Amino acid sequence: MSRAWAWLWLALCLLASVARAELAVPPPTSPVIDQASFLTDAERGELEKQLLDFHQRKGSQLAVLIVPAVDPETPFDYGTRVMDSWKLGRKGVDDGALLLIVADSHKTQLLVGRGLEGAIPDIYAKRILQDTLRPLFKQGLRFQGIQAATAQIEGLIDGEKLPEPARQASQGGGWGESWPLLAFFLLIGSGVAGKLFGRLVGSFIIGCLSIGLSVVLGAGVMMALLIGAVAAGLCLALGEHGWQARRQFPAAQLKRLEQQIAESERAHRGQLRFVVESALDWRAAWRGMSARQRALQWFGELRVWDTEENTGVLVYLLLAERRIEIVADRGINRRVAAGEWAGICAEMQRAFAARDHVAGLELGLSRIHEVLLKHAPRDGEPFVNELPDQVVVR
């Protein structure tokens, strides 16, 4: 009888030990589970946001579990059971990681899935726990220690080449996420279509393309038609406005002005370029560019600076604002005072105020010719035409 009681006692002890060993694994309701009140609510919330943001960006799952005790198991054994139960990481990738903190015994364990063993080998995990987490815990900086450790883990995972995370479609379909792409297409496409095909043809083309793209991205029929109309209107507004300038400067008169430019350059060292622009294009207007800034931009784009003696001179007319700007390279600026250029601009503006635009440009060319002949004469040196004489009309 005594032997039977002995066997029963032994069985009860074994059952008790097994029961004690099987400490319950909490359900994975959050990336941060604190059963030991180790962190404040605010700290736990901030840490949860950090880990969720990382999961959405990278795809890997990093979790923090804080428990009071795991006895008689070791943190490794208990952490292994948690990893098996929670199945952290993506299926087929196994890129999950668990930071286990045993509050009462101040023990920690970092466990990673097979997909992260290359990114976080045992020696790296040990350094994170001993060199980062433990010193901050000793200073009483619990939250800072966990945050620093998880940041290091995230950094190591970021350096590992893993599959891209799956992008979840937003509620209501893909249309809600696609409008930035469509807006970009409308702004850029309207300007490009107007430049390539003209405002009328370009507006028709960009309108049809916008309707088709809207339908593909999930917009309804009425919304797609509205977007097409907006795109066509943008093309009309942002497309080429050069017709206004060309109406003011017929081809025959431009040809005459170009001949005068060529004749003028043979008498002095200056190299002249004329630009007539109806209005600032949408890119310049969006940046709030002034007429002077636009003139400097044209000076660079037309390479007026690229002459042997740095004697290029740009005359820029902005019709919409009736502004005249003269930009001269340093080889001319050393010889001509800024006040002389300002006087020429004032004379030209008076002519433009009378709506005699061709006469205004010819007057400006005549005054510039006089100034360059005075300050930068050719003195019989051979003439080399380094810049085109054509007037740019936009």
Side-chain angles (χ1 to χ4, degrees), residues 19-269:
R20 289 186 63 196
E22 291 296 325
L23 180 67
V25 174
T29 56
S30 167
V32 180
I33 295 179
D34 183 5
Q35 296 188 325
S37 299
F38 200 71
L39 302 173
T40 66
D41 290 342
E43 291 171 342
R44 186 171 62 254
E46 184 175 343
L47 190 59
E48 286 176 355
K49 183 179 184 305
Q50 174 190 331
L51 301 185
L52 287 173
D53 289 345
F54 174 73
H55 172 61
Q56 292 175 358
R57 174 175 62 82
K58 186 67 176 178
S60 304
Q61 283 185 295
L62 172 57
V64 175
L65 174 60
I66 307 172
V67 294
V70 294
D71 296 332
E73 288 183 286
T74 66
F76 177 81
D77 292 335
Y78 180 70
T80 301
R81 285 202 297 117
V82 173
M83 289 285 285
D84 292 340
S85 174
W86 286 6
K87 302 187 184 304
L88 293 173
R90 291 170 289 179
K91 186 176 181 180
V93 182
D94 199 12
D95 55 346
L98 172 69
L99 176 59
L100 174 64
I101 299 171
V102 184
D104 292 349
S105 60
H106 304 290
K107 293 181 179 179
T108 56
Q109 188 71 46
L110 177 57
L111 300 99
V112 301
R114 291 185 181 276
L116 296 180
E117 289 178 349
I120 311 175
D122 290 342
I123 187 171
Y124 283 11
K126 187 176 180 181
R127 287 175 182 172
I128 292 172
L129 298 177
Q130 293 186 354
D131 299 343
T132 299
L133 196 60
R134 184 175 298 174
L136 289 171
F137 276 6
K138 286 183 176 179
Q139 298 175 42
L141 303 174
R142 298 176 173 182
F143 171 67
Q144 291 83 349
I146 298 174
Q147 193 174 48
T150 53
Q152 279 189 282
I153 296 168
E154 290 174 0
L156 293 173
I157 298 175
D158 275 330
E160 187 74 3
K161 189 174 182 180
L162 296 170
E164 289 293 323
R167 302 298 179 187
Q168 297 181 351
S170 62
Q171 293 181 352
W175 167 246
E177 291 184 348
S178 301
W179 70 264
L181 172 65
L182 185 60
F184 177 80
F185 174 77
L186 291 181
L187 285 175
I188 302 301
S190 297
V192 172
K195 185 177 289 291
L196 293 178
F197 305 105
R199 299 169 71 204
L200 293 178
V201 177
S203 63
F204 175 77
I205 292 174
I206 196 65
C208 292
L209 289 176
S210 298
I211 292 172
L213 180 60
S214 301
V215 172
V216 169
L217 293 177
V221 175
M222 293 303 297
M223 178 61 73
L225 291 174
L226 178 61
I227 291 171
V230 171
L234 280 173
C235 185
L236 288 172
L238 303 178
E240 286 289 341
H241 295 274
W243 63 274
Q244 298 177 358
R246 285 188 285 271
R247 186 179 63 179
Q248 298 292 341
F249 298 92
Q253 294 178 336
L254 286 177
K255 188 69 174 177
R256 185 181 68 197
L257 182 62
E258 290 165 0
Q259 291 173 350
Q260 293 172 356
I261 292 172
E263 292 172 4
S264 173
E265 289 178 336
R266 293 181 179 277
H268 52 72
R269 297 179 181 274

Side-chain angles (χ1 to χ4, degrees), residues 325-341:
E325 297 290 343
I326 298 177
V327 181
D329 206 352
R330 60 182 182 274
I332 296 297
N333 275 337
R334 286 198 299 263
R335 310 179 187 193
V336 181
E340 295 193 65
W341 298 130

